[in-house]
């Protein structure tokens, strides 16, 4: 099953790299959420994607957005990866059952056992506002994501 623009985003609770539970519904009415689905910690394209996000974080904060990275890696892998990369946003472990949250969003690739590369913006109203799927070796254009987020931020509630 995959989500479409305008539908209510499936709620979830996953642990981040600090063992803290992060729930999508906690951001409802408060912040837009950028769900950054990526295949695996430590892989070259994912590492570049996170390096770009770390560098662009200030612009995402000014757009009233919470960035949540999501992959099938464990909390422990996320912890080491976040420390190495200087990542201060949440990396969520969609680990057990593997890919269950990504499956709800239609971005889990069961034949590979990994999450596909996608960015989904969830508005403060809890609805999917923007979706972009990428080929696994393609680095997402974060300026394009920021532009989409700007439109979500300025959309009438």
């Amino acid at each position: 099953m995959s989500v479409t623009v305008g539908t209510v985003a499936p709620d979830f609770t996953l642990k981040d790299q600090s063992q803290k539970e992060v729930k999508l519904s906690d951001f409802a009415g408060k912040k837009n959420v950028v769900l950054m689905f990526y295949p695996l910690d430590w892989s070259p394209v994912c590492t570049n994607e996170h390096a770009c996000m770390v560098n662009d974080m200030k612009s995402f904060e000014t757009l009233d957005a919470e960035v949540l990275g999501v992959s099938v890696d464990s909390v422990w892998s996320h912890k080491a990866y976040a420390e190495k990369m200087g990542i201060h946003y949440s990396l969520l472990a969609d680990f057990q059952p593997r890919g269950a949250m990504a499956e709800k969003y239609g971005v889990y690739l069961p034949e590979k056992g990994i999450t596909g590369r996608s960015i989904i913006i969830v508005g403060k109203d809890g609805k999917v506002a923007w979706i972009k799927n990428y080929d696994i070796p393609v680095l997402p254009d974060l300026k394009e994501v920021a532009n989409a987020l700007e439109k979500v931020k300025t959309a009438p509630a």
Side-chain angles (χ1 to χ4, degrees):
M1 177 179 117
S2 62
V3 295
T4 55
V5 170
T7 61
V8 173
D11 198 14
F12 59 81
T13 303
L14 292 174
K15 288 192 175 179
D16 72 4
Q17 67 268 34
S18 303
Q19 297 272 350
K20 184 177 147 246
E21 285 196 344
V22 176
K23 211 173 165 179
L24 180 63
S25 54
D26 287 347
F27 299 103
K30 299 175 192 156
K31 282 194 166 197
N32 297 307
V33 176
V34 176
L35 294 174
M36 192 168 88
F37 292 95
Y38 64 100
L40 293 167
D41 293 343
W42 311 104
S43 67
V45 177
C46 296
T47 297
N48 287 340
E49 181 177 8
H50 284 289
C52 291
M53 184 57 81
V54 167
N55 292 338
D56 286 351
M57 210 53 222
K58 290 246 183 295
S59 66
F60 281 85
E61 288 166 359
T62 63
L63 291 169
D64 207 17
E66 185 76 24
V67 174
L68 303 175
V70 184
S71 79
V72 296
D73 294 289
S74 70
V75 166
W76 307 112
S77 177
H78 282 336
K79 182 173 177 44
Y81 188 62
E83 287 172 3
K84 171 88 171 117
M85 296 290 298
I87 295 170
H88 298 290
Y89 49 89
S90 293
L91 297 180
L92 304 180
D94 193 9
F95 185 66
Q96 203 60 4
R98 188 176 188 95
M101 181 270 208
E103 183 74 43
K104 290 180 186 176
Y105 283 82
V107 298
Y108 182 63
L109 307 173
E111 69 285 355
K112 295 184 173 159
I114 59 172
T115 305
R117 190 176 311 284
S118 289
I119 295 182
I120 298 175
I121 297 174
V122 178
K124 290 180 186 178
D125 61 0
K127 292 183 180 172
V128 175
W130 189 81
I131 301 170
K132 180 92 183 241
N133 295 307
Y134 303 85
D135 285 336
I136 296 229
V138 174
L139 185 67
D141 179 352
L142 295 183
K143 288 193 183 1
E144 177 185 35
V145 177
N147 289 339
L149 194 53
E150 182 66 45
K151 289 183 180 119
V152 171
K153 183 183 170 201
T154 58

